């Protein structure tokens, strides 16, 4: 697929970056992790790709992200440029007509409600998802030959099929997926590359063995003139256990191309520790020997792998390469660099705290509705602050992390332990599971600068996630500087390994 020529604003930016040509067959040494909702946005991924490493956009909640960026007036016109490149013109126009507000909505105006992802999604939402995933990847790939990946959480199952198709229409090179067991994704990629209809089974709590609850998607809903086969992206599974890697290698429905091995110091969600949950004195999950991935067993599989979680240092890159890894996946260092999608005031406040030595990350065992430990950076005014958390009425209106469950009549219902407690209980949920839960759907999109505004004045608070490595990001600051770029991260990480490996 031909790539668009970069517009003036991007061309200016491009001139500041060295042009790096990496052979398509070479594996990247650095994967910039897919992060949060729009922390790894197209700008960050594009910058990293232009620097010869693998830039990855976050595929989480892109439907909401595109809808909100358009309602914010699409400064710079990037979303509209992406929409213009979408092969089904009428579909792209429907999205634009529904959400775009010239000049942007008033700051007190609520964002339009986008339907919540459900097994029987309305066509409008399927279209928004396909288009949004296309636009993010298209922009990340625009005007250069570097490779671009997209990252999804397996647990957010319902939008997978239409999201993947949108990303593949834009020519995504890699799909990365963690937070679940993505056995069926490789086969889905094979079929979507041929524009064939696909299904994805949804985990439904309480389902009977003969229940078949699947999402279906037929690429024919997108009107494309010449349906030539699409390149099949490489698939990397993000894992925290060599047993899971073996399972994926043996039983996946198609080719797995490699693994990202993520340890418990990584930002975002962490795999829970093996066995019974034990907490440290500070109330964080305790990890031990059993949580270590056996790299001998992983190497024996013979596929390339990358190490993640505290590897954002030159020594980390060297250590990973010595352990037989192709390289490292790095998140925190990129989440706080200038090209990150994090709201600028949060990013700067936290950089300042890191410089002063007061930044703190808490691995919260109960914040995430998924039940997985979630790393929460402590920052006043965000939901890490008990006052802010308590002041927020429980509302569930984005619903990405809802659990599908079988209702008495056999139909599928949805519930989230962060929704109002009585509502959750009325759906058969255990009220004990609601304690300390945070609406990370609303909070993560707020962290990217698109908080919902309710009744003209209640602004959704953010949540910031980052890895334990947050305290070490001063290593990327040049003397006297208070900010750094993605290029600073890559230069720092590769400086030593270029010399020695
Ligand atoms: C702000 C932030 C958000 C993240 N969100 C996700 C995510 O949505 N999906 C995912 O697979 N990994 C996520 N991660 C993990 C990164 O992709 C990466 O694996 C990890 O950050 C590597 O460890 P490091 O933070 O020590 O560099 C996130 C990390 C950070 C810092």
């Amino acid at each position: 697929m031909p790539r668009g020529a970069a517009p003036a604003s991007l061309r200016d930016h491009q001139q500041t970056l060295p042009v790096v040509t990496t052979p398509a067959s070479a594996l990247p040494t650095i994967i910039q992790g897919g992060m949060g909702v729009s922390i790894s946005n197209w700008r960050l991924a594009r910058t990293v790709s232009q620097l010869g490493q693998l830039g990855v956009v976050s595929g989480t909640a892109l439907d909401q992200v595109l809808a909100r960026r358009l309602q914010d007036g699409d400064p710079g016109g990037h979303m509209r440029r992406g929409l213009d490149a979408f092969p089904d013109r009428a579909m792209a126009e429907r999205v634009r007509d529904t959400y775009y507000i010239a000049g942007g909505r008033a700051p007190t105006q609520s964002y339009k409600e986008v339907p919540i992802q459900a097994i029987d999604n309305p066509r409008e939402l399927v279209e928004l998802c396909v288009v949004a995933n296309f636009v993010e990847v298209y922009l990340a790939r625009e005007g250069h030959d570097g490779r671009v990946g997209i990252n999804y959480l397996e647990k957010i199952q319902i939008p997978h099929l239409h999201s993947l198709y949108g990303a593949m229409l834009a020519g995504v090179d890699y799909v990365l997926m963690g937070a679940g067991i993505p056995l069926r994704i490789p086969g889905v990629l094979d079929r979507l590359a041929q524009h064939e209809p696909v299904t994805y089974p949804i985990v439904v709590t309480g389902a009977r063995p003969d229940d078949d609850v699947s999402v279906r998607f037929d690429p024919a809903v997108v009107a494309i003139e010449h349906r030539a086969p699409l390149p099949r992206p490489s698939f990397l599974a993000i894992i925290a256990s060599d047993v899971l890697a073996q399972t994926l290698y043996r039983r996946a429905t198609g080719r797995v191309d490699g693994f990202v091995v993520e340890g418990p110091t990584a930002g975002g969600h962490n795999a829970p520790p093996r066995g019974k949950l034990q907490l440290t004195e500070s109330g964080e999950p305790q990890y031990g020997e059993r949580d270590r991935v056996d790299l001998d067993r992983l190497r024996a599989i013979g596929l390339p792998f990358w190490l993640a979680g505290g590897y954002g240092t030159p020594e980390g890159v060297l250590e990973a390469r010595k352990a037989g890894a192709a390289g490292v996946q790095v998140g925190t260092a990129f989440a706080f660099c200038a090209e990150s999608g994090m709201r600028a005031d949060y990013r700067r406040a936290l950089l300042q705290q890191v410089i002063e030595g007061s930044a703190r990350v808490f691995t919260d065992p109960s914040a995430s509705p998924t039940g997985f430990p979630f790393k929460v950076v402590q920052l006043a005014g965000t939901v890490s602050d008990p006052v802010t958390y308590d002041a927020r009425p429980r509302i569930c209106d984005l619903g990405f992390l809802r659990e599908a469950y079988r209702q008495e009549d056999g139909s599928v219902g949805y519930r989230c332990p962060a929704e109002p407690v009585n509502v959750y209980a009325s759906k058969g949920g255990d009220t004990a599971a609601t304690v300390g839960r945070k609406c990370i759907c609303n909070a993560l999109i707020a962290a990217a600068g698109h908080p919902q505004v309710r009744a003209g004045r209640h602004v959704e608070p953010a949540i910031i996630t980052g890895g334990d490595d947050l305290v070490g990001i001063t290593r990327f600051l040049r003397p006297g500087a208070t900010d750094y770029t993605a290029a600073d991260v890559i230069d720092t990480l590769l400086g030593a390994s270029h010399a020695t490996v």
Side-chain angles (χ1 to χ4, degrees), residues 31-37 39-40 56 58-60 151-154 156 176-179 238 260-270 307-313 328-336 340 342 374-375 377 444 463-470:
I31 302 177
Q32 160 257 308
M35 296 183 282
V37 174
I39 299 298
S40 302
V56 177
S58 172
T60 303
N151 176 292
Y152 300 100
L153 299 169
E154 199 281 333
I156 305 182
L176 299 93
M177 197 178 281
I238 304 173
V260 174
V261 184
E262 201 185 66
T265 64
H269 283 99
N270 301 137
L307 299 183
Y311 285 89
T313 60
V328 297
Q329 173 166 286
V330 173
T332 303
F334 288 113
F336 291 89
S340 154
M342 191 180 295
F374 188 68
K375 289 256 184 324
V377 180
L444 285 175
I463 195 163
I464 309 293
T465 179
D468 294 346
D469 188 34
L470 176 64

Side-chain angles (χ1 to χ4, degrees), residues 390-467:
D390 290 338
R392 178 189 183 270
R394 284 179 172 241
I395 296 167
C396 177
D397 60 354
L398 295 182
F400 290 101
L401 296 175
R402 296 189 307 178
E403 169 193 20
Y405 70 99
R406 187 182 201 277
Q407 304 188 107
E408 268 171 30
D409 64 359
S411 63
V412 175
Y414 302 91
R415 64 189 175 203
C416 175
E419 71 186 336
V421 178
N422 59 342
V423 176
Y424 186 65
S426 73
K427 297 174 183 171
D430 176 2
T431 53
T434 64
V435 179
R437 295 285 192 237
K438 298 180 163 73
C439 175
I440 65 172
C441 294
N442 267 292
L444 285 175
I445 198 164
H450 307 291
Q452 182 57 294
V453 181
R454 304 182 197 281
R457 57 204 166 92
H458 299 294
V459 180
E460 276 288 350
I463 195 163
I464 309 293
T465 179

Side-chain angles (χ1 to χ4, degrees), residues 211-472:
D211 287 345
D212 168 24
V213 185
S214 296
V215 173
R216 295 178 163 70
F217 175 72
D218 186 347
V221 298
V222 184
I224 300 176
E225 227 168 282
H226 305 292
R227 233 173 254 275
L230 300 169
R232 193 269 200 192
S234 297
F235 179 71
L236 305 183
I238 304 173
I239 50 122
S241 113
D242 44 273
V243 177
L244 178 54
Q246 296 266 8
T247 306
L248 285 162
Y249 178 65
R250 291 205 188 113
R251 295 191 18 227
T253 53
R255 196 183 76 233
V256 174
D257 298 281
F259 300 102
V260 174
V261 184
E262 201 185 66
T265 64
H269 283 99
N270 301 137
R274 308 285 179 284
K276 193 172 175 300
L277 180 67
Q278 310 249 14
L279 298 180
T280 61
E281 258 175 39
S282 57
E284 296 171 284
Q286 178 117 48
Y287 290 87
E289 269 310 304
R290 290 169 66 197
D291 300 301
R292 276 185 195 283
V293 171
D294 185 329
L295 290 183
D296 284 335
R297 290 206 195 136
L298 192 74
R299 274 188 294 266
I301 297 176
L303 291 180
F305 63 93
W306 289 259
L307 299 183
Y311 285 89
T313 60
E315 299 76 24
V317 177
L318 280 176
E319 184 190 324
R321 297 292 294 265
K322 281 187 186 143
V328 297
Q329 173 166 286
V330 173
T332 303
F334 288 113
F336 291 89
C337 80
E339 293 89 346
S340 154
M342 191 180 295
R343 215 175 91 173
D345 53 342
Y346 294 141
R347 194 178 70 79
R348 289 197 169 272
L350 286 164
L351 266 169
Q352 195 52 39
Q353 287 188 16
V354 172
I355 291 167
E356 289 162 6
S358 59
R360 201 168 157 253
V361 179
F362 178 69
T363 308
D364 192 327
S366 48
S368 172
T370 61
F372 280 28
F374 188 68
K375 289 256 184 324
V376 182
V377 180
Q378 307 298 294
L379 181 66
T382 67
V383 289
S384 65
D385 174 350
V387 177
T388 306
Y389 173 66
D390 290 338
R392 178 189 183 270
R394 284 179 172 241
I395 296 167
C396 177
D397 60 354
L398 295 182
F400 290 101
L401 296 175
R402 296 189 307 178
E403 169 193 20
Y405 70 99
R406 187 182 201 277
Q407 304 188 107
E408 268 171 30
D409 64 359
S411 63
V412 175
Y414 302 91
R415 64 189 175 203
C416 175
E419 71 186 336
V421 178
N422 59 342
V423 176
Y424 186 65
S426 73
K427 297 174 183 171
D430 176 2
T431 53
T434 64
V435 179
R437 295 285 192 237
K438 298 180 163 73
C439 175
I440 65 172
C441 294
N442 267 292
L444 285 175
I445 198 164
H450 307 291
Q452 182 57 294
V453 181
R454 304 182 197 281
R457 57 204 166 92
H458 299 294
V459 180
E460 276 288 350
I463 195 163
I464 309 293
T465 179
D468 294 346
D469 188 34
L470 176 64
V471 294

